[in-house]
Amino acid sequence: VGAVAADDLAKPFLGTYVGTAQVLDEAGNVLETRDMDITISEGQRGAFTVTWINVTLVDGRRDREGVKRRVDTVSLVPGPEAGVYLEQSRRSLFARRQETDAMKGEPLRWARIDGNRLGMFSVVVLDDGGYALQSYERILTDTGMDIEFRRIENGHEVRRIRGHTIRVE
């Protein structure tokens, strides 16, 4: 029953989205602009995978020296409660299954679906014993998704990103 419910919650988010985002300072000024590609694909037994590509532009362009490209992928499986998903442990066919070790700086990741919001979260224990929390909200709109990202270190916001994407085929 849980896998069917989880699958139904994730279904509206499935697809490919493209758009732009701005990294903002504390006053809301744009520090940099990024192109974004996001793909949310269906897995087995209620699981889904989120892959996102960020291209940091230079002078608003992708064809300039200094452009940076980053690709991230997270696979999520239904968790203990409806609407909660846990990062699927990374497995190797040739190694024992290993759990996340937060004290070694490995991120603990999970997600929550609440209506039109897919919130993904990550917490990391920093070298000095402090913490870094990232929240990445993807909010469905009529044409795509709005993006709200925040990174908080030891209670202080150190990065904020806002963006908009459209759904593409």
Side-chain angles (χ1 to χ4, degrees), residues 77-144:
V77 296
E81 302 291 331
V84 176
Y85 301 83
L86 305 174
E87 180 180 27
Q88 186 172 18
S89 62
R90 297 181 181 114
R91 295 187 207 164
S92 165
L93 294 174
F94 308 105
R96 249 181 346 122
R97 180 178 173 199
Q98 295 182 351
E99 297 299 323
T100 300
D101 189 344
M103 295 310 293
K104 289 185 179 176
E106 296 174 4
L108 175 63
R109 294 183 176 128
W110 71 98
R112 176 187 63 176
I113 294 177
D114 184 12
N116 70 336
R117 295 178 86 88
L118 167 58
M120 293 179 59
F121 308 93
S122 172
V123 67
V124 174
V125 177
L126 302 173
D127 290 339
D128 66 0
Y131 71 92
L133 171 67
Q134 294 183 6
S135 69
Y136 195 154
E137 297 278 342
R138 293 166 174 92
I139 303 113
L140 286 176
T141 66
D142 290 339
T143 59

Side-chain angles (χ1 to χ4, degrees), residues 57-96:
L57 306 177
V58 173
D59 297 328
R61 295 183 53 174
R62 296 173 67 114
D63 61 348
R64 301 281 174 143
E65 190 170 321
V67 166
K68 297 176 191 161
R69 182 176 186 269
R70 179 179 172 157
V71 180
D72 288 299
T73 298
V74 175
S75 293
L76 298 152
V77 296
E81 302 291 331
V84 176
Y85 301 83
L86 305 174
E87 180 180 27
Q88 186 172 18
S89 62
R90 297 181 181 114
R91 295 187 207 164
S92 165
L93 294 174
F94 308 105
R96 249 181 346 122

